[in-house]
Amino acid sequence: MTSENTPEASGRPLFSLQRRERLMDELRAHGSITVSGIAAKFGVSELTIRRDVNQLADEGLVSRVHGGATLPSPLDRSASGSHQQAHTYSIGMVVPSLDYYWPQVISGARAEAEEQNLRILVRGSAYDAADNRKQVQALLDHQNIDGLIVAPDMTGAEGQELLRWLNALPIPVVLAERRSPGEIPAHRLEWVATDHAFGAGVAVRHLWQEGHRKIGCLTDSSSPTSPHVVRGWKQAMAALKIPLEGSVSEDSAGLGNGDRSEHFDRILELCRDTGTTAMLVHSDTQAVAFVQHCVDHGVDVPGSMSIVGYDDEVAYLAEPAISAVRPPKRYVGRVAVQLMAARLAEGRMRPVHRVELNPELVVRDSSVGGPRNVTAGSLQGSAAQDSQELEGSL
Amino acid sequence: MTSENTPEASGRPLFSLQRRERLMDELRAHGSITVSGIAAKFGVSELTIRRDVNQLADEGLVSRVHGGATLPSPLDRSASGSHQQAHTYSIGMVVPSLDYYWPQVISGARAEAEEQNLRILVRGSAYDAADNRKQVQALLDHQNIDGLIVAPDMTGAEGQELLRWLNALPIPVVLAERRSPGEIPAHRLEWVATDHAFGAGVAVRHLWQEGHRKIGCLTDSSSPTSPHVVRGWKQAMAALKIPLEGSVSEDSAGLGNGDRSEHFDRILELCRDTGTTAMLVHSDTQAVAFVQHCVDHGVDVPGSMSIVGYDDEVAYLAEPAISAVRPPKRYVGRVAVQLMAARLAEGRMRPVHRVELNPELVVRDSSVGGPRNVTAGSLQGSAAQDSQELEGSL
DNA sequence: CCTGAATCGTTCACGTTCGAACATGTTGCT
DNA sequence: AGCAACATGTTCGAACGTGAACGATTCAGG
């Protein structure tokens, strides 16, 4: 699924306006695009993309270059004499991945930066503290940044030391999708993060409302998100009075492809033994694989096994399409830039802000119409109540 | 229009208004619609849908595209011109006090509202859920408010019921200085609150840094702030490895003036017995009284007893002036209005935001130059390190 | 500076979608 | 009942979005 042309799987091709919007997203996420790459990705001809790019260029939203387009650059003389004032500040941004999850965060950040008239410099990094620090240092040394948005690795002593170092930087720092401990060594760090525990809770309650009374959880503890998902799952289970012992809770950290298949088999077996009819699966990538595995082994989804994924990157591609909790990635980037802009404008008098955002649940086929009929009669009242309460978040 | 409110009978075609509403629902659910698809789904001709779409586009609710419609897009240049910003909103604000703490919050809210071109209607209330609700209801009934900022009483079953009621209101609600539980019954409530636990921690660390090794805590549990202060005190004590047992921790809830004097005497006695040389006192009003009491009874402040107040309303009036943790009241109001303005502008697509703000410590005479000289030599290093770390927040 | 390869824009063709004009059915009012 | 106002459906020529072919242009590497 990497370089293969993956024409947008959903039925109808995109409208031109949507296509241009997505094109801008890609542009903001990666800084530049190629005509051929986008054409393949969107499943349309290159000519169409060229026309889009030209239109966007006429509106001054992109800079045309041979073979593709970039974000509007001051070097682009075709900039229609627009009174673009000089960038007030430059913000560095260091994220741990440029292919998964983060492009949308970057896209949101760039969109907000444009409104605030800021410049953003993005660098990818590995998922470890040492490289985080190296990338930040590079921005500090070679670019002239006035602020830093970063999603550092916070695990272990090295992570703590990195936090301490970030806290002591002479420029303002905003963490994205990370929470600094609200204590002294990191008290100057502002942050914006998704409340993944809430998201997991919404997913569990949705499954409960669909009639499931045994709800399992599969996560990958090598992701920084995982602990929060597990916490939210446990909290929701407690609130719904589902006992934790006897519930399926599995971790697939560090499994290869072969192991994974075995692991899925074991999970299905566990589910059978415990009567578990629904699973919350962290990382929708893994959810897609799990659904695939179920379908391949004759387990009906959602009939025998309902599934909600966590993260909504590729969930819609699966067959059946997977319900997924969608973190507000774009807003994470937006808010990070808002915090930074306000900090740069207002200085030290402004109190440290810390922002949590709620994700939303996107309901697709993999989680509706499960075992509801079995228990519908006796649970009608409770389900109706839950439905009303949940309404607003869907 | 058609005055009969005919509940939707299957088979009967929808009225145009209902149809447009459902069209918007489809749009919000899928991000885009096709004329042909919707026409088939609603069982009407494509032309009808086109007319609906055009009307909605004229109102700026959708973006017209060839073959269908999408959610309003900034790339849609037909929308940019009309842009009716003249529509200003009214926000109701209900706070539990109009003479203590809240005036500054209101002031900040008013300042931000002016910038955002909003109108604010403030009502005072008592510190109980029933009256909170009454005041909110009055705003809803007699003013025409588009949003609500409120600091409700959340204690007990009545408080929970109030939260549930607020959550179900048809207008957006932002809590000020209150945290709704991040769970389902209140999942639509946004809030902004000061991290009082952090503030208490800063105070404790400041006293530690001044050389104190036994630090007590005096609060008034009848205030909603108190539990957080106590929690922060305990956390900081744990982090600094000061044992909780043997530490002075007192509550002055519901004491009259005479009782209070006795209580202060008892506290001073406890401090003598336990070797406590510093106290964190919640509500600076009480801190002022306590300092007064100390001075009147020959206890030197800060020589024999260092004091940091929590809240910074009147702390500077005491003799000696009292160091105090100052919550960013003005910003609480500002952020509440910012959240509301953004919510009103962006609608339901915007994820729920929850914001925490850090207070700052204002150091005055009541907490400097205490017992430091006694232990300075051996603790120099540690104190210096803490000093550096604390610097930014002061 | 030259050359091959990639990229670009123009023109044409095809199918879909659009909207004006007119026709018809429905609702509400006098 | 009759009429007016409105909502909806049908028809048909025009407009639009897209893709293929082909010649013109630009780029990269000697």
Side-chain angles (χ1 to χ4, degrees):
Chain A
M1 202 177 283
T2 46
S3 65
E4 288 280 325
N5 55 348
T6 312
E8 292 291 329
S10 49
R12 158 187 29 75
L14 296 171
F15 291 122
S16 58
L17 189 77
Q18 298 178 295
R19 205 178 41 231
R20 287 194 291 277
E21 236 166 48
R22 294 266 332 252
L23 197 152
M24 289 303 292
D25 287 347
E26 291 289 327
L27 203 49
R28 281 192 283 259
H30 298 113
S32 67
I33 50 143
T34 64
V35 170
S36 55
I38 294 295
K41 189 159 201 167
F42 291 180
V44 298
S45 78
E46 300 190 358
L47 177 54
T48 302
I49 300 302
R50 265 186 222 111
R51 281 196 270 243
D52 288 341
V53 168
N54 284 338
Q55 182 179 343
L56 292 170
D58 288 343
E59 294 171 29
L61 296 171
V62 308
S63 283
R64 195 83 183 72
V65 295
H66 194 83
T70 69
L71 288 169
S73 152
L75 303 175
D76 183 2
R77 76 191 102 234
S78 74
S80 54
S82 62
H83 36 282
Q84 284 275 4
Q85 356 170 358
H87 290 129
T88 44
Y89 293 108
S90 293
I91 301 178
M93 189 163 176
V94 176
V95 299
S97 164
L98 290 173
D99 337 299
Y100 184 75
Y101 199 102
W102 294 94
Q104 291 201 61
V105 177
I106 296 168
S107 170
R110 282 230 166 86
E112 182 68 24
E114 205 169 308
E115 285 181 34
Q116 305 259 2
N117 209 33
L118 300 169
R119 197 165 57 112
I120 291 206
L121 300 159
V122 179
R123 288 185 82 99
S125 167
Y127 273 94
D128 74 88
D131 193 52
N132 290 157
R133 181 158 173 170
K134 207 172 85 186
Q135 299 301 333
V136 171
Q137 191 66 59
L139 280 173
L140 291 169
D141 291 345
H142 304 306
Q143 315 290 343
N144 199 22
I145 59 172
D146 304 293
L148 176 68
I149 296 171
V150 58
D153 179 22
M154 290 168 51
T155 57
E158 219 179 343
Q160 294 307 304
E161 173 52 28
L162 175 60
L163 271 190
R164 197 178 278 261
W165 180 73
L166 289 170
N167 186 63
L169 285 180
I171 58 173
V173 176
V174 173
L175 307 186
E177 288 293 18
R178 299 287 184 272
R179 297 141 208 262
S180 60
E183 285 163 28
I184 290 301
H187 60 110
R188 282 172 53 179
L189 297 177
E190 306 194 272
W191 51 256
V192 49
T194 304
D195 187 347
H196 294 302
F198 173 85
V202 170
V204 171
R205 279 161 221 264
H206 162 67
L207 290 168
W208 167 276
Q209 178 193 343
E210 286 289 327
H212 299 277
R213 292 299 174 270
K214 281 280 190 177
I215 300 168
C217 181
L218 166 59
T219 59
D220 177 351
S221 64
S222 66
S223 147
T225 305
S226 234
H228 299 113
V229 174
V230 175
R231 182 164 47 86
W233 173 73
K234 285 184 180 167
Q235 280 172 6
M237 296 285 274
L240 295 172
K241 301 199 170 50
I242 307 177
L244 271 183
E245 57 272 31
S247 288
V248 178
S249 172
E250 287 288 308
D251 181 356
S252 69
L255 289 181
N257 255 351
D259 298 338
R260 185 191 263 188
S261 181
E262 279 175 37
H263 190 213
F264 285 168
D265 279 333
R266 200 162 63 249
I267 291 170
L268 284 177
E269 204 171 315
L270 272 171
C271 288
R272 251 194 317 276
D273 293 349
T274 58
T276 300
T277 56
M279 291 286 291
L280 170 62
V281 183
H282 172 52
S283 126
D284 66 341
T285 316
Q286 179 154 232
V288 169
F290 187 56
V291 166
Q292 192 64 49
H293 188 91
C294 288
V295 171
D296 289 350
H297 291 68
V299 176
D300 182 42
V301 174
S304 310
M305 174 63 66
S306 284
I307 288 169
V308 174
Y310 199 98
D311 276 9
D312 190 32
E313 294 277 328
V314 292
Y316 66 97
L317 291 172
E319 183 57 43
I322 303 179
S323 300
V325 178
R326 175 189 291 170
K329 300 171 204 170
R330 201 168 297 266
Y331 270 91
V332 169
R334 285 185 79 96
V335 173
V337 171
Q338 284 167 1
L339 289 178
M340 182 57 72
R343 168 69 54 205
L344 289 169
E346 299 172 33
R348 288 202 185 81
M349 295 306 290
R350 179 182 162 89
V352 168
H353 285 48
R354 299 194 303 263
V355 183
E356 268 191 18
L357 303 179
N358 280 358
E360 63 176 343
L361 175 65
V362 181
V363 177
R364 301 201 181 86
D365 297 336
S366 71
S367 68
V368 292
R372 177 184 251 168
N373 44 350
V374 183
T375 49
S378 66
L379 293 156
Q380 197 76 356
S382 153
Q385 190 182 351
D386 279 6
S387 162
Q388 193 180 8
E389 287 166 359
L390 277 161
E391 215 159 48
S393 77
L394 300 183
Chain B
M1 306 296 134
T2 48
S3 60
E4 296 259 333
N5 64 349
T6 311
E8 183 173 336
S10 55
R12 189 200 217 93
L14 298 168
F15 294 113
S16 61
L17 195 73
Q18 299 174 294
R19 202 179 44 231
R20 284 193 289 277
E21 247 162 43
R22 283 211 41 201
L23 196 152
M24 288 303 293
D25 288 343
E26 289 289 324
L27 201 50
R28 280 190 281 266
H30 299 106
S32 69
I33 51 145
T34 64
V35 169
S36 56
I38 294 297
K41 192 160 201 165
F42 291 0
V44 297
S45 80
E46 300 191 356
L47 180 54
T48 302
I49 301 301
R50 264 186 224 114
R51 282 196 269 243
D52 288 343
V53 167
N54 282 336
Q55 181 179 340
L56 292 170
D58 288 342
E59 295 170 29
L61 297 172
V62 308
S63 281
R64 194 83 184 73
V65 294
H66 198 88
T70 71
L71 291 171
S73 156
L75 299 180
D76 181 5
R77 62 174 95 69
S78 71
S80 52
S82 51
H83 210 259
Q84 43 178 356
Q85 187 66 22
H87 190 229
T88 182
Y89 294 107
S90 294
I91 301 178
M93 189 163 177
V94 175
V95 298
S97 163
L98 291 174
D99 16 270
Y100 184 74
Y101 200 103
W102 294 93
Q104 291 199 63
V105 177
I106 295 169
S107 160
R110 282 234 161 84
E112 183 67 24
E114 199 168 319
E115 283 181 35
Q116 305 260 2
N117 206 32
L118 299 169
R119 201 162 57 105
I120 291 207
L121 300 159
V122 179
R123 288 182 80 100
S125 167
Y127 272 96
D128 75 89
D131 194 52
N132 291 156
R133 182 157 174 172
K134 207 172 85 186
Q135 300 302 331
V136 170
Q137 192 66 58
L139 280 174
L140 291 169
D141 290 344
H142 303 307
Q143 315 290 341
N144 200 22
I145 59 172
D146 304 292
L148 177 67
I149 296 171
V150 58
D153 178 23
M154 291 168 53
T155 56
E158 219 180 343
Q160 294 306 304
E161 173 51 30
L162 176 60
L163 271 189
R164 196 177 278 262
W165 180 72
L166 289 170
N167 187 61
L169 285 181
I171 57 172
V173 176
V174 173
L175 306 186
E177 287 294 19
R178 299 287 183 274
R179 298 141 208 263
S180 63
E183 284 163 31
I184 291 299
H187 60 114
R188 283 170 53 179
L189 297 178
E190 307 194 272
W191 50 255
V192 48
T194 303
D195 188 348
H196 295 303
F198 173 85
V202 170
V204 170
R205 279 161 222 264
H206 161 69
L207 290 167
W208 167 277
Q209 178 193 342
E210 285 288 328
H212 300 276
R213 290 303 172 268
K214 283 281 192 177
I215 300 168
C217 180
L218 167 60
T219 59
D220 176 352
S221 65
S222 65
S223 148
T225 307
S226 228
H228 300 112
V229 173
V230 174
R231 181 165 47 85
W233 172 72
K234 283 184 179 165
Q235 280 172 5
M237 297 284 275
L240 294 172
K241 303 197 170 51
I242 307 177
L244 271 183
E245 57 271 30
S247 287
V248 177
S249 172
E250 288 289 309
D251 180 355
S252 68
L255 291 181
N257 254 352
D259 298 339
R260 185 191 263 183
S261 181
E262 277 176 38
H263 190 212
F264 285 168
D265 277 334
R266 200 161 65 248
I267 291 170
L268 284 176
E269 204 172 315
L270 272 171
C271 288
R272 249 194 317 276
D273 293 350
T274 56
T276 300
T277 55
M279 292 287 292
L280 169 62
V281 182
H282 171 52
S283 123
D284 66 340
T285 315
Q286 181 156 228
V288 169
F290 187 57
V291 165
Q292 193 62 51
H293 188 93
C294 288
V295 172
D296 289 352
H297 291 68
V299 177
D300 182 42
V301 175
S304 310
M305 173 63 64
S306 285
I307 289 170
V308 175
Y310 198 96
D311 278 8
D312 191 32
E313 294 276 329
V314 291
Y316 65 97
L317 291 173
E319 183 56 47
I322 303 178
S323 300
V325 178
R326 175 190 292 172
K329 301 170 203 172
R330 203 165 292 267
Y331 269 92
V332 169
R334 286 186 77 98
V335 173
V337 171
Q338 283 167 0
L339 289 178
M340 182 58 70
R343 167 68 54 204
L344 291 170
E346 298 172 36
R348 289 199 188 80
M349 298 301 291
R350 178 183 163 89
V352 168
H353 285 48
R354 298 195 302 264
V355 184
E356 266 190 324
L357 304 179
N358 280 357
E360 63 176 344
L361 175 65
V362 181
V363 178
R364 299 201 181 87
D365 298 335
S366 71
S367 68
V368 292
R372 176 183 249 165
N373 44 352
V374 183
T375 50
S378 65
L379 292 156
Q380 197 74 359
S382 154
Q385 190 182 350
D386 280 4
S387 163
Q388 193 180 6
E389 288 166 359
L390 276 160
E391 215 158 48
S393 76
L394 302 185

